[in-house]
Amino acid sequence: MTLDPTPPVNPGTAPAADRPSMPKALRWFLAEFLVVVVGVLVALAVSAWWQSRQDRAHERLYLQQLDADLLATENEMHDAMAALTERAVAAASVEHAFWGQRPSDDDVLTRNFALPWGTSRYRPVLGNIEALISSGDIDVIRSAPLRTALVSYVEWSKARLDNISRYDETYYRPAVNEMQSQLDISSLRMETLREKNAGRAHAFDMSSIAATGRPPFPVDLDSALQNRVVYNAYAKLMLAHRNQAGEYGQILERARLLHAQVYRQLHGMDEPGNCQLTRESVSADFIGTCGAAFSTGDRAGKPIQLRLREAEAVTSGAWKIDDSPAIVVTGQMTVGGGTAGDLEVEASLVRDGVLRSQQGWFPVTMIAVSNDKLRLSFRVDTRQEVPANAMDLAILNQAKVLLRDASHWDRKDDRQCRPDKSALSLYCALIKASRIQSGGVHHRRPAMQMVRALVDERSAGRGYQHRLRDYNNDPRTSLADIQQLLDGAIANAKKDRDQGIAAQ
């Protein structure tokens, strides 16, 4: 019997070579699993990218709204401080009149009596900030310091508004009630109103003033200035308006600081013209930037760096006639890392004024020095230099007097304006006139800038290096040309002065 060495084959079992191996199956499973995981991760990444894009779009929209709101708040608070400061000054003027410092014009005193009786309320624009906070969307603002500043600003502003309301209740309303029992402002102006409405009897139909006759009680200025109740009432009015103006000024300063943060987050750069300065210690200078405030010429796009300190007075001559600045800071300004130039900034009681630099004189709005004396801020507008005023007009008229005839004209200007010289060049006449009228000299004050502008018009293409010197020394220039030039500058200065008066 012969045995077959080949083992029997089970018909239901595949050969070992035909069966799939476990590692290969696992690889297929892992590949499919990896595809699913990668798909999920890609979907999540796309979703996150889209959400991030949406958040950035929402952030930009909110920042644009905040930018507009804060700028509107600055303007509103500026108007508030100007109006209330004017009323506080008027009330103080009435107080001074009790002590004998009475204006020579009774119409001025009557106006000062009437002005503090009125008041107005102003509010910062908080709607978008409050909506951002209450909706929870504040998280779309990526800057944590900015988020904190926004929340703080809302609560802080409301506290300032509460203070303003308290000044109303503590000072303003009691003062008005006291005055109404002692004084009728409309009666003080009775004769003026009668003259204005002469022949119009109906104008008195709805007035407390009768068309004829006199009131049966004293209403004249002399009687009012001997009334102690009136005196105390105006003291309260002065405190109310002064303190409220200060509160509005603090809101403005805080809004400007916050606006600088919003602008930086929105545009990635410092806001042009928004000057923010700090000092590291009480004795140090204020140091900071105004952003890239110049938009033309070789200074365009270059940041302005400032180093300033508080000063007692300006040294380059008065800006206005019979007016001294309430705030003065001096120091240096550097544009785009160039050479530092001297700088003076002055402001009136309402904190509006002028920045005097080697580049020109530019208007500034609301100089604010924080209570702790560690921060200084103001807004400067470099798009156009400040216009001429009555002081500039006086300087130009004085220069024309100094160049009244040929014996007083020096046609060989060397820019050395010695005080002992009797004959003056155009440049030296303007320098001397400025010293006579304003008490100082600044080469870029409006009066001199006006003359330079006219020289540019009349000497186009001549290639002057120093316009005033070279025009004066040009053989083609006569004394009549110099005087006509000054006449043109005087006419332009009168227009600026009259427009400034009309705008007040």
Side-chain angles (χ1 to χ4, degrees):
M1 180 177 182
T2 304
L3 297 176
D4 187 354
T6 304
V9 177
N10 187 343
T13 303
D18 296 334
R19 293 199 303 269
S21 65
M22 288 300 294
K24 186 176 182 180
L26 183 60
R27 285 196 299 271
W28 276 106
F29 170 78
L30 290 175
E32 291 177 358
F33 178 77
L34 184 61
V35 169
V36 173
V37 170
V38 169
V40 171
L41 292 177
V42 169
L44 290 174
V46 170
S47 177
W49 170 80
W50 180 253
Q51 185 61 49
S52 176
R53 184 175 178 179
Q54 291 292 96
D55 287 346
R56 298 292 73 78
H58 288 151
E59 180 192 37
R60 184 167 184 81
L61 179 60
Y62 275 123
L63 290 172
Q64 288 172 340
Q65 293 171 339
L66 294 175
D67 179 82
D69 285 356
L70 289 166
L71 190 57
T73 293
E74 283 191 53
N75 294 331
E76 184 78 358
M77 296 301 99
H78 172 267
D79 292 345
M81 187 168 183
L84 290 165
T85 298
E86 183 183 21
R87 293 183 176 114
V89 170
S93 177
V94 172
E95 292 283 280
H96 299 163
F98 276 85
W99 295 91
Q101 298 180 21
R102 180 170 174 171
S104 57
D105 188 343
D106 280 351
D107 286 342
V108 173
L109 182 57
T110 300
R111 174 187 175 277
N112 290 339
F113 262 106
L115 186 60
W117 284 49
T119 190
S120 301
R121 286 296 153 260
Y122 303 79
R123 294 188 65 84
V125 183
L126 299 173
N128 281 311
I129 301 180
E130 291 178 322
L132 186 65
I133 295 170
S134 62
S135 67
D137 285 349
I138 194 169
D139 288 337
V140 303
I141 304 296
R142 286 171 289 177
S143 170
L146 179 55
R147 292 197 301 269
T148 301
L150 288 168
V151 175
S152 174
Y153 170 75
V154 171
E155 298 305 317
W156 182 89
S157 296
K158 289 179 178 179
R160 304 279 73 74
L161 294 175
D162 288 342
N163 286 346
I164 290 169
S165 296
R166 279 194 290 271
Y167 291 134
D168 261 345
E169 300 302 322
T170 305
Y171 297 116
Y172 177 74
R173 297 190 188 283
V176 170
N177 291 336
E178 291 169 10
M179 286 192 301
Q180 287 177 338
S181 69
Q182 302 290 322
L183 185 64
D184 184 353
I185 288 293
S186 60
S187 295
L188 283 175
R189 301 176 62 200
M190 181 172 56
E191 295 304 325
T192 301
L193 289 172
R194 282 177 175 161
E195 291 176 6
K196 182 178 178 181
N197 293 291
R200 297 168 56 201
H202 64 274
F204 294 94
D205 291 346
M206 297 184 66
S207 171
S208 62
I209 303 172
T212 59
R214 299 188 63 82
F217 47 84
V219 293
D220 61 283
L221 289 172
D222 291 331
S223 298
L225 293 176
Q226 296 176 15
N227 190 320
R228 186 179 183 87
V229 175
V230 173
Y231 178 83
N232 291 335
Y234 276 90
K236 292 177 182 177
L237 283 176
M238 188 270 293
L239 287 172
H241 295 315
R242 185 193 67 186
N243 292 350
Q244 288 171 340
E247 295 288 347
Y248 285 125
Q250 289 188 51
I251 297 175
L252 185 149
E253 181 191 3
R254 188 73 169 260
R256 183 185 293 136
L257 179 62
L258 183 59
H259 191 255
Q261 293 177 264
V262 169
Y263 190 96
R264 192 177 299 113
Q265 184 71 16
L266 182 60
H267 299 285
M269 59 183 292
D270 289 329
E271 180 189 6
N274 189 345
C275 305
Q276 297 289 338
L277 298 89
T278 58
R279 54 185 179 187
E280 298 176 350
S281 64
V282 176
S283 60
D285 293 345
F286 293 105
I287 302 172
T289 180
C290 293
F294 291 104
S295 58
T296 60
D298 58 357
R299 297 159 293 181
K302 297 179 180 179
I304 293 177
Q305 297 293 331
L306 300 179
R307 177 181 289 272
L308 303 176
R309 68 196 66 87
E310 294 179 86
E312 292 296 325
V314 295
T315 60
S316 55
W319 180 27
K320 298 179 180 180
I321 294 175
D322 298 328
D323 188 22
S324 299
I327 298 175
V328 177
V329 290
T330 64
Q332 289 77 43
M333 178 173 78
T334 305
V335 181
T339 304
D342 291 337
L343 184 76
E344 289 183 314
V345 183
E346 66 172 275
S348 65
L349 280 172
V350 297
R351 309 296 180 88
D352 287 349
V354 61
L355 179 150
R356 310 174 180 210
S357 72
Q358 293 178 1
Q359 286 75 27
W361 287 29
F362 303 102
V364 299
T365 305
M366 283 303 302
I367 297 179
V369 182
S370 62
N371 290 335
D372 57 10
K373 301 293 184 181
L374 295 178
R375 190 170 64 252
L376 169 69
S377 73
F378 57 88
R379 186 174 290 281
V380 60
D381 186 353
T382 60
R383 291 171 298 179
Q384 186 173 359
E385 296 184 43
V386 297
N389 58 26
M391 177 65 80
D392 295 288
L393 181 58
I395 290 171
L396 292 169
N397 280 315
Q398 181 70 58
K400 188 177 180 183
V401 170
L402 294 173
L403 295 173
R404 56 189 176 273
D405 55 44
S407 66
H408 291 88
W409 180 37
D410 177 9
R411 65 171 308 124
K412 295 182 179 180
D413 185 12
D414 58 3
R415 293 176 59 85
Q416 301 298 316
C417 302
R418 293 177 291 276
D420 58 337
K421 292 183 65 174
S422 58
L424 303 171
S425 65
L426 172 61
Y427 171 74
C428 289
L430 289 167
I431 294 294
K432 185 171 183 177
S434 183
R435 285 200 176 96
I436 293 172
Q437 294 295 329
S438 73
V441 175
H442 195 286
H443 290 239
R444 296 295 176 182
R445 79 165 299 136
M448 298 190 74
Q449 293 292 76
M450 280 189 155
V451 176
R452 288 189 179 96
L454 290 176
V455 168
D456 286 342
E457 291 179 9
R458 302 183 182 195
S459 62
R462 297 187 185 182
Y464 289 159
Q465 183 178 6
H466 294 287
R467 286 168 288 180
L468 299 182
R469 180 198 67 186
D470 294 347
Y471 181 77
N472 181 91
N473 294 352
D474 194 322
R476 292 166 286 187
T477 301
S478 66
L479 178 59
D481 293 330
I482 296 288
Q483 293 173 338
Q484 289 174 5
L485 187 79
L486 290 172
D487 285 338
I490 289 169
N492 291 338
K494 285 181 179 178
K495 291 178 183 178
D496 279 2
R497 179 203 60 186
D498 295 342
Q499 290 175 357
I501 294 174
Q504 292 177 353

